[in-house]
Amino acid sequence: YQNFDTELQRANISMVFGSGPFPLLRQHRERYSMALLFGSDLTDLIFNKETVQQIYDADYNFAKPPLTPRLTAVPGDKKVILYWDTRAEKSRDPFLAYKEDFEGYLIYRSTEPEFQDIKVITDSRGEPRYWKPIAQFDLIDGIRGPDPVGINGAHFWRGSDTGLQHTFIDSNVVNGQRYYYALVAYDQGDPNLGTRGLQPSETTKIIREDFSGVLQFVDINCAVVTPNAPAAGYVPPEIQGETSRPTAGIGSGSINVQVLAESEIQENVTYKVLFHSSGEAHNYKTVSYDIIDVTHGVTLQSNIDAQRFGADIFSPPVAGFAVSIQNDTSVTVDLANTGWLSGSSNLDVRVYPSIKSRAITTVWPADYEIRFFEDFVDTTNNFRIPIKFMVWNLSDDRRAEVEVWDNDRSRTLSLGDEFTIIEFIGTNFRLTYDFTYYAPTDPAATPREPQAGDRFILRTRKPFREGDYFQFSTRAARVENQLAKQELSRIAVVPNPYIATATWERRTLNQTGRGQRKIDFIHLPQECTIRIYSISGSLVKTIHHQAGAADGAESWNLVSDDGMDIAFGYYIFHVDAPGVGQHIGKFAVIK
């Protein structure tokens, strides 16, 4: 009575579970746990058994991965834009006394829903243990490199202190190919926990698809997308306004507005990127910025960290776009944009931060203009020398003090003389920038002293200051029929010729046969009818295409309207787009 017969004959595939021996006493309850074990060989199976035994011995009380982030994937033309929320970053693990142990994100991309084609990182026995990501972003906290715990010599890579990001553009994709993405959040682990340590854990990634390729379930941190070229006549969203310099303010940096979801960009809405700084007016640093919808009077994002910046570091997504900033962290002379603005002087004027007295020198975050006049218009700060020029602080729109170092004692500004711009911190003056007159760089040129009307400008590079802002507006995506008419000649079939298969076709999951055949018609108008004819003129297939403006492709499984697989040979296709025009093309099928 202690044995169970588990032999199956002439039966459907099923599982039979057995356990024993123990008495089944009346009014008595027995609890038991069950583990389904898999392994590539016996050693791997035993290793997995030991792992679940540890979980059982701990009464199922083990570390948990962070909360599952929510991923959005937007396909484009030869690119896929990914962005996600921040919910995982405040995860607390009850197993570690509710410690906030979130560490970073991994982005996985596969051409199959199980992601098995990218599980290529093996342990010392050659068993696949980890998936290879296409991108990784982690906290700047010193937790980096391989996890010291590991599994059989394979170690989880904890990151490189890159800093977190919430946007990623995957440009290494092929139009027409179906891609499966997963964004997983992972924790820090704890190499000092217990006797073995605790390795990092990551959130699950679940995509279920049946044999015919129909999606059954896609978790919130996963996405399935197919990049394609847009419809004929498609005009993408536009960002209108100056982004290379602030609309108002003194900062010398720039911003980049990256469109993420083209369908979410609104028509004629104005936005402002407003900066905040800390510190004194002459010695400050940029700390954060806000994104404001000026049209509707709404702050979309506030206090976005501005101390980590760069072309690939974006703000959280808002209204279909994200912002990256380029900021200058120190004040320096912008030599490329410093020089004579107008006038006849050809003197070589050299500008550099003042070195007259280091105890009272300060590089000042401002641009200046030196304006020359016919008569005396100012007097130097200390030596009280009358001068025929004035220094104007362009950043604060005010006059600045100046001192002349009259090296030849001529009481005029001449070759070899210097002057210094003076600013004040309270009642204390500071020497900021030195200017020196030299003869023209061309030795054959006759020196021409500055005359009335001459202007010289000093530009500096400096961080964004409190109140600096950029302002821009958006135009929504649209389709223009006139442009679509001009683009009808771009309509094509890919691959052409079709030779037995195409790279984007799904794998074969059945024991016999093959996956679905597929060709794509691309650069189609937004609405059109495609008719496919044999070379003898027989109608083979009629396809009605109607899609969003950003998708100009239509797939065909090479099955005729009669439900038959088409034969090899040449085919003619005709595209009829009402209000746009018609196009005729051909393609070949080789089996």
Side-chain angles (χ1 to χ4, degrees):
Y1 71 96
Q2 297 178 0
N3 299 307
F4 292 84
D5 183 6
T6 60
E7 182 179 0
L8 295 176
Q9 294 182 351
R10 294 184 300 277
N12 292 330
I13 298 175
S14 62
M15 291 184 177
V16 176
F17 303 100
S19 179
F22 56 85
L24 297 174
L25 302 178
R26 184 179 180 184
Q27 302 296 323
H28 183 72
R29 176 181 294 173
E30 292 285 351
R31 296 184 182 274
Y32 61 94
S33 295
M34 194 165 47
L36 300 179
L37 296 175
F38 300 87
S40 57
D41 55 28
L42 179 59
T43 303
D44 190 39
L45 184 68
I46 293 173
F47 175 82
N48 294 333
K49 189 272 176 189
E50 292 174 346
T51 301
V52 298
Q53 184 67 53
Q54 293 170 9
I55 295 173
Y56 177 81
D57 294 342
D59 196 21
Y60 301 97
N61 185 22
F62 48 88
K64 296 181 179 179
L67 296 173
T68 304
R70 185 178 297 275
L71 174 68
T72 301
V74 181
D77 185 7
K78 297 180 182 178
K79 66 181 178 181
V80 175
I81 299 174
L82 308 171
Y83 57 94
W84 55 93
D85 61 19
T86 61
R87 65 195 305 263
E89 294 167 27
K90 296 300 180 183
S91 303
R92 293 180 178 271
D93 195 334
F95 185 71
L96 299 176
Y98 292 94
K99 172 187 175 183
E100 287 189 5
D101 65 342
F102 168 85
E103 179 59 23
Y105 297 107
L106 295 164
I107 297 177
Y108 296 120
R109 183 193 67 205
S110 176
T111 54
E112 58 183 49
E114 300 86 3
F115 296 91
Q116 290 303 310
D117 59 332
I118 61 169
K119 194 174 184 180
V120 295
I121 301 175
T122 62
D123 61 18
S124 56
R125 296 191 300 105
E127 295 293 337
R129 289 297 174 195
Y130 299 116
W131 293 265
K132 185 175 179 60
I134 60 172
Q136 183 168 5
F137 309 106
D138 66 308
L139 292 170
I140 302 176
D141 57 2
I143 299 175
R144 55 184 297 168
D147 161 55
V149 179
I151 304 176
N152 289 343
H155 296 267
F156 184 92
W157 185 260
R158 297 177 295 177
S160 306
D161 278 357
T162 59
L164 296 182
Q165 221 171 284
H166 302 92
T167 304
F168 178 74
I169 302 175
D170 184 9
S171 300
N172 187 26
V173 295
V174 176
N175 282 354
Q177 173 70 59
R178 194 179 201 181
Y179 292 99
Y180 303 84
Y181 288 92
L183 172 80
V184 301
Y186 63 93
D187 57 30
Q188 300 168 357
D190 188 349
N192 300 316
L193 183 69
T195 58
R196 298 189 179 185
L198 179 67
Q199 65 174 344
S201 57
E202 61 183 47
T203 53
T204 58
K205 48 187 182 296
I206 303 174
I207 300 176
R208 288 198 292 269
E209 186 179 88
D210 64 18
F211 282 0
S212 62
V214 177
L215 291 170
Q216 303 295 319
F217 176 78
V218 179
D219 209 345
I220 63 171
N221 66 324
C222 300
V224 182
V225 294
T226 303
N228 267 312
Y234 179 74
V235 179
E238 299 174 18
I239 304 299
Q240 299 179 330
E242 181 63 70
T243 57
S244 62
R245 60 177 181 271
T247 306
I250 70 170
S252 54
S254 62
I255 67 169
N256 174 48
V257 183
Q258 175 67 55
V259 173
L260 301 178
E262 296 187 353
S263 60
E264 295 180 16
I265 300 297
Q266 301 181 55
E267 180 72 13
N268 292 329
V269 176
T270 299
Y271 300 92
K272 177 186 288 187
V273 177
L274 177 65
F275 287 91
H276 303 289
S277 64
S278 64
E280 302 177 54
H282 68 287
N283 184 24
Y284 64 91
K285 67 176 180 179
T286 314
V287 293
S288 65
Y289 63 97
D290 305 334
I291 302 178
I292 302 168
D293 180 341
V294 177
T295 301
H296 302 102
V298 178
T299 299
L300 303 177
Q301 288 282 347
S302 60
N303 296 320
I304 304 169
D305 183 15
Q307 298 184 70
R308 283 188 61 249
F309 58 86
D312 297 325
I313 300 177
F314 288 93
S315 69
V318 294
F321 65 86
V323 173
S324 66
I325 67 172
Q326 292 286 358
N327 193 21
D328 292 297
T329 56
S330 59
V331 182
T332 58
V333 176
D334 184 1
L335 294 175
N337 294 298
T338 294
W340 292 104
L341 275 180
S342 63
S344 59
S345 179
N346 63 352
L347 298 185
D348 180 19
V349 181
R350 301 179 189 177
V351 186
Y352 39 84
S354 182
I355 56 174
K356 297 298 182 187
S357 176
R358 296 192 180 277
I360 56 173
T361 57
T362 301
V363 286
W364 204 267
D367 295 337
Y368 298 92
E369 185 176 286
I370 296 91
R371 303 167 180 172
F372 294 87
F373 299 88
E374 184 71 32
D375 302 315
F376 294 110
V377 293
D378 206 347
T379 305
T380 63
N381 178 265
N382 185 41
F383 299 146
R384 314 311 298 171
I385 301 174
I387 52 177
K388 295 183 179 181
F389 67 92
M390 179 184 295
V391 177
W392 199 260
N393 183 321
L394 297 175
S395 299
D396 295 329
D397 194 24
R398 59 173 173 80
R399 173 182 164 275
E401 297 284 349
V402 66
E403 187 58 73
V404 172
W405 313 95
D406 188 14
N407 294 328
D408 62 0
R409 301 180 182 276
S410 64
R411 301 291 292 180
T412 62
L413 195 59
S414 53
L415 292 181
D417 287 351
E418 301 171 85
F419 67 88
T420 302
I421 297 175
I422 297 175
E423 295 284 6
F424 286 84
I425 302 174
T427 58
N428 299 319
F429 72 88
R430 290 290 185 270
L431 308 179
T432 61
Y433 299 99
D434 292 341
F435 294 70
T436 305
Y437 280 177
Y438 292 94
T441 53
D442 181 2
T446 301
R448 294 191 298 270
E449 299 286 339
Q451 303 297 317
D454 288 359
R455 293 187 301 150
F456 185 92
I457 195 164
L458 163 62
R459 295 286 186 191
T460 58
R461 304 204 64 84
K462 45 204 171 297
F464 297 118
R465 191 170 66 179
E466 182 72 29
D468 288 8
Y469 69 88
F470 291 80
Q471 192 159 293
F472 60 90
S473 60
T474 56
R475 285 212 63 189
R478 59 197 185 277
V479 172
E480 296 181 352
N481 282 351
Q482 189 60 39
L483 179 60
K485 291 179 181 179
Q486 301 172 12
E487 294 182 349
L488 286 176
S489 61
R490 298 182 62 201
I491 297 174
V493 171
V494 289
N496 188 10
Y498 176 92
I499 305 176
T501 185
T503 58
W504 52 53
E505 292 176 352
R506 290 191 293 270
R507 59 190 170 155
T508 302
L509 296 176
N510 299 311
Q511 292 182 351
T512 61
R514 52 160 291 158
Q516 184 187 66
R517 294 175 170 87
K518 182 169 80 80
I519 64 173
D520 275 5
F521 296 87
I522 60 173
H523 301 300
L524 296 169
Q526 193 170 2
E527 294 184 27
C528 62
T529 299
I530 308 167
R531 294 181 176 87
I532 302 163
Y533 300 89
S534 67
I535 198 69
S536 62
S538 300
L539 180 62
V540 175
K541 181 72 177 180
T542 300
I543 302 172
H544 298 287
H545 170 77
Q546 184 173 3
D551 186 3
E554 183 70 39
S555 298
W556 181 38
N557 61 2
L558 302 183
V559 175
S560 71
D561 280 334
D562 296 329
M564 303 292 290
D565 287 347
I566 64 170
F568 64 88
Y570 279 107
Y571 290 86
I572 308 296
F573 69 92
H574 172 260
V575 178
D576 182 14
V580 177
Q582 302 181 34
H583 176 76
I584 297 175
K586 59 185 178 180
F587 63 93
V589 175
I590 302 174
K591 292 186 178 181

